[in-house]
Amino acid sequence: MPGALAAIECVDRGALQSVSGAALFAALLFDIADREIRTARKLLPDWPEEAFSVRQLPEEQGPGNALLLEAVFEQVTEIVTGFGKLGVSAESLAKTAAHRMGGFIASDAFAGPYLADQLLLPFALAGVEASPRSSPASMHELPRM
């Protein structure tokens, strides 16, 4: 039988350990992923060049593309993902994801709004009255606070 839920403290995310960005694509032109990475690099200038990569997936897994930006801290890892869709440029996708990640890193929040949203139920079940400090609340989180 699983043990009872216990409260955990989600206040200090700790020091930034590493960052990475990966553009994934399948059954699309390499240029799309390359433009995503170039845009993200420009908008996240403190990230080392070697932190970025492009990964081509098997054709049968496409068509599609995504940009994953990851920031690993001592106590938590934040991942921001942008998914490609028709009519949205690679640059726009990367700009949105990079701005979200940049905003999170610049804040002192323990968790981004989507992770904080996912932590609300376990916190409530554990009897924790406070929610984790997050960057701006998501639309899902607001009614539950």
Side-chain angles (χ1 to χ4, degrees), residues 12-98:
D12 182 16
R13 64 187 184 196
L16 182 62
Q17 303 291 301
S18 65
V19 293
S20 65
L24 310 177
F25 73 104
L28 295 172
L29 298 174
F30 174 83
D31 179 63
I32 294 169
D34 186 51
R35 289 174 19 230
E36 289 172 355
I37 289 295
R38 281 188 280 134
T39 301
R41 276 186 184 152
K42 186 170 27 172
L43 296 171
L44 298 166
D46 295 337
W47 289 29
E49 187 171 331
E50 63 273 8
F52 295 94
S53 64
V54 174
R55 181 171 165 213
Q56 183 173 9
L57 302 174
E59 295 280 319
E60 62 270 10
Q61 293 182 9
N65 61 300
L67 176 66
L68 284 75
L69 302 174
E70 178 182 67
V72 178
F73 293 86
E74 289 174 316
Q75 303 299 322
V76 69
T77 297
E78 179 71 12
I79 299 174
V80 173
T81 306
F83 293 99
K85 64 180 187 177
L86 286 175
V88 176
S89 71
E91 292 80 8
S92 179
L93 180 152
K95 181 179 178 182
T96 299

Side-chain angles (χ1 to χ4, degrees), residues 10-14 73 103-111 132-135:
C10 296
V11 177
D12 182 16
R13 64 187 184 196
F73 293 86
F104 174 73
I105 290 174
S107 77
D108 65 350
F110 177 82
R133 284 186 314 134
S134 73
S135 48

